[in-house]
């Protein structure tokens, strides 16, 4: 029988701290933090977010009655339009791009770690296209899915 070499848990934790330090010093994290700072400093975005919170409360109130509430269509439209207005702000778009880039980095690191253990480990992502690329159902094919794992 072949002897299995184990890793000292303290060493593993030290290595994970080194990895997290490297991630925190990455371009993706720096750009994310800068974009977040710019978005939070954007007075118009902050004003719109406060307004959005108020409209969202109104929306939740009319949701209880659904389309039968007399203000349902009006409030629903206002919420959608306000959300779109916020999303079109340059600082919000820059933040979303930086957030997506950081999410991609974290996904790739997680996927590398998980797949070094086994290709059948499912790695969650905020991007459904990455999840579809990375794995099927995660059960080793018992569901009969035909999604191929990419390397």
């Amino acid at each position: 029988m072949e002897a299995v070499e184990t890793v000292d848990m303290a060493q593993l934790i030290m290595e994970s701290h080194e990895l997290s330090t490297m991630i925190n010093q990455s371009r993706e994290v720096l750009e994310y933090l800068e974009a977040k700072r710019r978005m939070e400093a954007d007075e118009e975005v902050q004003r719109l977010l406060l307004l959005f919170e108020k409209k969202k409360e109104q929306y939740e109130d009319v949701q209880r009655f659904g389309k039968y509430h007399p203000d349902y269509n009006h409030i629903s439209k206002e919420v959608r339009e306000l959300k779109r207005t916020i999303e079109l702000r340059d600082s919000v778009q820059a933040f979303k791009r930086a957030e997506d880039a950081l999410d991609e980095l974290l996904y790739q690191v997680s996927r590398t770690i998980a797949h070094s253990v086994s290709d059948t480990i499912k790695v969650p992502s905020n991007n459904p296209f990455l999840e579809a690329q990375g794995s099927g159902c995660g059960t080793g094919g018992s569901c009969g899915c035909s999604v191929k794992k990419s390397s």
Side-chain angles (χ1 to χ4, degrees):
M1 181 170 15
E2 187 177 321
V4 176
E5 188 177 326
T6 60
V7 176
D8 178 25
M9 190 59 140
Q11 179 67 27
L12 188 59
I13 290 171
M14 285 177 48
E15 297 282 341
S16 69
H17 283 294
E18 186 177 326
L19 177 60
S20 68
T21 298
M22 290 171 65
I23 291 170
N24 279 324
Q25 293 173 349
S26 71
R27 177 181 47 83
E28 289 83 356
V29 168
L30 296 176
E31 288 176 359
Y32 168 81
L33 293 173
E34 178 58 25
K36 182 178 181 200
R37 185 197 62 72
R38 282 194 311 265
M39 183 181 69
E40 290 173 346
D42 186 331
E43 292 177 13
E44 181 63 10
V45 167
Q46 296 310 308
R47 184 188 71 75
L48 290 168
L49 287 173
L50 285 173
L51 182 58
F52 183 77
E53 283 301 315
K54 291 176 186 172
K55 290 292 178 190
K56 195 168 81 170
E57 287 175 19
Q58 291 176 345
Y59 178 75
E60 288 168 1
D61 284 342
V62 300
Q63 274 295 98
R64 292 182 299 164
F65 301 102
K67 63 182 179 180
Y68 301 108
H69 191 284
D71 293 331
Y72 177 79
N73 289 330
H74 174 71
I75 297 291
S76 296
K77 183 179 177 189
E78 283 183 341
V79 168
R80 284 192 311 275
E81 288 174 351
L82 190 52
K83 183 176 185 268
R84 181 74 177 143
T85 299
I86 293 168
E87 290 172 345
L88 288 174
R89 297 286 303 174
D90 289 342
S91 64
V92 173
Q93 288 183 356
F95 174 74
K96 293 282 191 186
R97 282 191 304 274
E99 187 177 50
D100 288 345
L102 179 56
D103 187 59
E104 168 69 14
L105 171 68
L106 295 173
Y107 171 77
Q108 292 300 334
V109 169
S110 298
R111 185 169 170 230
T112 299
I113 293 168
H115 289 183
S116 71
V117 174
S118 171
D119 284 342
T120 61
I121 294 175
K122 186 173 182 180
V123 181
S125 170
N126 290 328
N127 183 338
F129 297 112
L130 291 176
E131 278 197 40
Q133 268 182 353
S135 64
C137 65
T139 63
S142 64
C143 71
C145 74
S146 60
V147 176
K148 296 194 187 236
K149 293 169 183 58
S150 64
S151 308

